[in-house]
Amino acid sequence: MTADIDSERPNSERPTSERPDTGATGGFEVFRDDRGIPHLRAGSALGLARAQGRNAALDRAWQLETERHRVLGTTAAYLGAEAVDWDRFARRARLADTARRCFDRLAPETAAWVGAYVDGVNEGLAGGAALTPEFAAAGLAPGRWEPWTPLGVWLSTHILFAGFPTKLWREEVARRLGDDRATLFATDGPGTSGSNGWLLTGARTTTGASVVAGDPHRFIEDPGVYQQIRLACPEFDVVGLAVPGVPGIAHFGHAGGVAWAITNAMADYQDLYREQVRRTADGGAEALGPDGWYRVHAHTETVEVAGGEPETVEIVETDRGPVIIGDVPGDPDTDAAPDAPVISLRYPPRVTGDLGFDVLPALLRARTVADLDTALDGWVEPVNVVLAADTTGATLHRVAGHVPVRPYENRLRVVPAHDPAYAWREGGEPLPRTEVDTATGTAVMANERGLAAPLGIEFAPPHRADRIRELLGTAPGAAANSATGVRKVTGPPWSAADMAVVHTDTRLASSRQLLSLLAWAPDLGPDAERLRDRLLRWDRHMDADSTDATLYARLRADVVHRLAGHPALRPVTGDADPWRSTAYPPLFRPWLAAVPRIGYALESLLTVGLLPYEDRLAMVAASAEAVAATHAEGPGPSAWGEVHRLSPWQALPDATPEEAWPGLAGDHDCVLSTSSVPGITDLFARGPAARYVWDLARREDSLWVVPFGASGVPGSAHHRDQTELWASGRLAPVVTDWNLLHRTEHATERVTEHRTEHVTEHRTEHRFEESTTMTAATTPGPDASTVPALRPAVHEQKVEGFGVVRLVPVVPAADAGLLHAWVTEERARFWGMADHTREQVQEIYEFVDSLPTHHAYLALRDGVPAALFQTYQPDADPVGEHYDVQSGDLGIHLLIAPAEGPVKGYTDALLTAFIGYVFSDPAHLRVVVEPDARNEKALARMVRVGFELGPEIEKPEKTARLAFLPRAALGLA
């Protein structure tokens, strides 16, 4: 199952001149492939760490120094006033001090390893800076790294990862709209982009060995946030994606025998506390705690500002953590709490002094999934979902990280600091894990509410995860044994090279609700009618050459702005928009802006929530008219790739003209998650920061790509040489044979002593790998999985004189009792489950839930379960064997629940909604039903609605009568 990789091993027999120099602890060699990707080889792990630091400094000097200054909060000294907000936060959050604490607690061998990396950085910085024009442009000279600086880089990169500023948004929404609306914009609707990851076991691949693949979604930075690299010494040989400024390979690696990848678990592990503080007579500060007032740490620091006056920052830390919002009142004689909030941040490394860095060298030494699993027990942050596989066929699917034990309310809102009920408990929350499904041979992670659900509040919608599963063909086929429930592996065997098909998929499932409303929009003019017809025929793929995709984006943006102007939302929009508040630092404005919130939560806001159905329908109709009028006489929309262009973050803004950046396909809910901000811009700053495919059969068949290139030096041949590959969705091979690489450096120096120094550099924007910044999520409190009325609907329709009908997916474990009560009634004998137990009913619907061709929904009438509605593809169902299945056929089953009292037209009203749902998808051309031939009432009802009766057919459980309802019979296009 595993190929001979002797040519990859650093200890393989080869000419003496190519073997690593082991005569000195710091000896190393640097090789590069044809794309300039570094392959480092050394005689020891310490020598290799030094080589990695030196290489990072030579290839990414500007990036490394930018990161160092972000840790120190000294970026405004050369970037000016716009960088002050980050510097104030970095100092107030005590990032550098926390990094020092965590370094002091490292195991001695880890501290030596990190120190060797820092020595390499300090050796290479001067040479790297001489090659990089940004230093001269900014008037800077490189400084000197401290042994703890890499820990600070890791911390500053991930401090905003868990999205704690979202709690500020919820506070504002609750205050303005009511406590029950705190999560209005976070009900499992569209969220910001996140990472994709998937694993195929050997049963699903062409080689018989596992494949791990995916792409981390982050703010795209120039130079890139990930560096392709290989690290080889006698103890290990690992290829992967490193974070410049941090030793080792943390998130994505292939060690030959084992490969691993992560996505953001979307866990909530940082808390905000509302503090009461006051000034003391001697100029110090006190805070109110559970036991009364006590003195807190307070000191001042000065932020230098290029082109401006220095700013003084007071650093205050309470027993909960550093104060990051608000100031201590200046009057020492008053005990009154200030009107402006004073809020502290509590985050695990500040509390425990542990950043998890002891895990990093252990990951490099892992040989098996078991080794990796053991190492990850010490992981701290960010909290990740991990997928891994090894050459023995073993797999891993778990959460890794530290989530503190505290009340559920801490995850939702800012909580009072003086109340002991909100204090952290000892230890951490249990970390979920599961087995990779051997029946389907796949595992998928895409930030959805799944494995890590007990640890968070807001998760990405399921669209990306569902689409990846669909593409991989993980669900069982129609041939699965319905009696035993045994599922069969489906879909083709996959090779590593095939993974690009998944990486680049552009299907936008979240468009469904807006298009459904558009389909029912009333009283449209001729131009808007033509727009509607065009969008309903659109294949819902955000392809770069698609003008329909651009037209959809225009409609979406217009709807977002109309929602923002709706009276129900005025307390959080317009002049009342929380981002205008002076109570919070400007750094947090991206989390507090209403229009992006509405844009990302559009699917859920259009499905159910604050606005009546009629308002939503009228709003979409008005938007259709407005967009149609724009294009009626002028030129049509541009292709999506012409307007949906990359807008990367750069420390020196405007370093590259906008037109130099490529346009791409995709959107925030596509697998190709290039995240624009609906209602704000079509440009995207967030997307795949890398793509990788780890092949466990032959590591040399692995693939990878980054947005720009291996070098961070402008003008280098490898500065942008991967951009075209990345933009087109292709990947580059991972070259592992040392004989195919080019040696560019050979050093024999020993590791030097640690030294200290600093300088100045920056970054005004915050980055988080798959941030929860503006992600939508399910409503807290009652679990949406157990309460049907809280689930997101696939369809919602108001039926005059009857009520609002919503279709929500069946959750078998939660709904089995309800369904069992319905299907075992005498009136439901035609359903064929009269003698089934509750457990058997649950098993049947779990099987249905696993099928990509069959779906079961509860129909809710004004929130109350009213019917069971099922759809299926006839060609994947036994019924398809009894008639000539046509393209566009969709079968349905319907079981009406017992009504509380006689309601005229009850079933007809539900049928109206069901048919509306089916035909909201223009691909559905005909509805097929097959009721029991003895059920005369059902047959008469079908004819009344417009169905054409077909022949009787014999099925194992009944004699059925086919009936068909063509789309054209209802006058639909």
Side-chain angles (χ1 to χ4, degrees), residues 493-581:
W494 291 80
S495 70
D498 295 330
M499 295 296 105
V501 173
V502 183
H503 281 125
T504 57
D505 186 77
T506 61
R507 174 79 172 178
L508 187 66
S510 61
S511 64
R512 180 170 191 156
Q513 184 59 24
L514 175 52
L515 294 179
S516 177
L517 288 169
L518 178 64
W520 291 93
D523 304 324
L524 295 183
D527 292 335
E529 285 275 10
R530 283 189 288 274
L531 179 145
R532 171 165 64 186
D533 292 344
R534 179 175 175 179
L535 285 180
L536 292 182
R537 291 193 301 269
W538 173 47
D539 64 5
R540 306 186 191 185
H541 283 263
M542 301 295 284
D543 292 330
D545 61 356
S546 172
T547 55
D548 289 345
T550 307
L551 194 62
Y552 171 78
R554 296 288 177 270
L555 178 67
R556 178 176 63 184
D558 194 275
V559 171
V560 167
H561 285 286
R562 290 179 190 276
L563 275 170
H566 192 280
L569 295 179
R570 279 179 190 155
V572 292
T573 60
D575 291 340
D577 197 322
W579 81 270
R580 300 177 185 274
S581 171

Side-chain angles (χ1 to χ4, degrees), residues 28 145 171 224 296 429 435 532 597 714 734 745 753 792 847:
F28 62 84
W145 280 43
E171 283 293 309
V296 299
E429 293 282 2
E435 298 295 324
R532 171 165 64 186
R597 287 279 179 187
V734 175
E745 187 176 355
E753 292 298 319
F847 174 72

Side-chain angles (χ1 to χ4, degrees), residues 101-240:
R101 287 187 183 184
C102 293
F103 180 83
D104 289 343
R105 293 193 54 168
L106 289 178
E109 58 273 19
T110 305
W113 179 71
V114 175
Y117 179 89
V118 169
D119 284 338
V121 170
N122 286 328
E123 289 174 17
L125 268 179
L131 299 171
T132 308
E134 286 94 338
F135 283 94
L140 293 176
R144 191 163 188 85
W145 280 43
E146 302 278 4
W148 49 264
T149 302
L151 284 77
V153 170
W154 188 261
L155 184 60
S156 68
T157 299
H158 296 107
I159 188 65
L160 296 170
F161 225 67
F164 67 79
T166 297
K167 297 176 184 181
L168 303 176
W169 166 257
R170 295 193 201 113
E171 283 293 309
E172 292 298 317
V173 172
R175 184 169 64 85
R176 298 155 185 250
L177 298 180
D179 287 345
D180 60 331
R181 300 293 186 184
T183 56
L184 175 65
F185 299 86
T187 52
D188 269 0
T192 57
S193 61
S195 295
N196 301 316
W198 60 93
L199 181 153
L200 292 168
T201 66
R204 298 297 314 285
T205 67
T206 56
T207 63
S210 296
V211 169
V212 179
D215 51 351
H217 304 151
R218 305 181 64 131
F219 282 108
I220 304 297
E221 302 176 22
D222 179 31
V225 70
Y226 286 115
Q227 178 193 29
Q228 299 149 298
I229 200 167
R230 183 184 187 180
L231 304 175
C233 68
E235 295 179 67
F236 51 81
D237 183 348
V238 184
V239 297

Side-chain angles (χ1 to χ4, degrees), residues 350-397:
R350 186 69 188 164
V351 176
T352 65
D354 184 8
L355 196 53
F357 257 48
D358 287 319
V359 172
L360 299 185
L363 293 178
L364 297 176
R365 294 184 172 92
R367 293 290 179 270
T368 65
V369 158
D371 295 339
L372 194 81
D373 193 17
T374 300
L376 289 170
D377 286 341
W379 190 268
V380 174
E381 78 163 67
V383 179
N384 296 323
V385 176
V386 182
L387 285 176
D390 65 26
T391 52
T392 72
T395 57
L396 178 69
H397 190 184

Side-chain angles (χ1 to χ4, degrees), residues 932-954:
D932 192 301
R934 297 168 296 168
N935 193 341
E936 295 178 358
K937 284 187 177 180
L939 292 172
R941 184 181 302 114
M942 296 302 173
V943 172
R944 188 167 64 248
V945 171
F947 279 83
E948 301 167 358
L949 294 181
E952 290 188 356
I953 61 173
E954 293 298 328

Side-chain angles (χ1 to χ4, degrees), residues 235-326:
E235 295 179 67
F236 51 81
D237 183 348
V238 184
V239 297
L241 302 172
V243 175
V246 178
I249 294 170
H251 283 159
F252 311 97
H254 192 329
V258 62
W260 68 94
I262 63 94
T263 60
N264 187 353
M266 313 300 278
D268 185 280
Y269 51 89
Q270 302 164 328
D271 285 349
L272 294 178
Y273 287 89
R274 186 179 299 101
E275 301 279 359
Q276 295 183 46
V277 293
R278 65 187 183 187
R279 189 70 66 192
T280 60
D282 61 359
E286 292 180 330
L288 181 63
D291 299 320
W293 291 93
Y294 65 97
R295 193 172 185 91
V296 299
H297 172 91
H299 73 274
T300 59
E301 297 181 7
T302 300
V303 176
E304 299 293 336
V305 183
E309 294 297 319
E311 294 196 14
T312 299
V313 180
E314 184 174 30
I315 313 302
V316 176
E317 185 165 12
T318 72
D319 286 352
R320 266 69 57 193
V323 170
I324 60 168
I325 296 171

Side-chain angles (χ1 to χ4, degrees), residues 24-40:
T25 57
F28 62 84
E29 296 171 289
V30 179
F31 296 77
R32 295 184 186 269
D33 66 13
D34 291 341
R35 294 190 179 275
I37 295 170
H39 294 242
L40 311 180

Side-chain angles (χ1 to χ4, degrees), residues 35 95 189 352 381 383 634 641 643 655 752 756 782 834 844 876:
R35 294 190 179 275
L95 299 185
T352 65
E381 78 163 67
V383 179
V643 297
T752 59
T756 316
I844 287 171

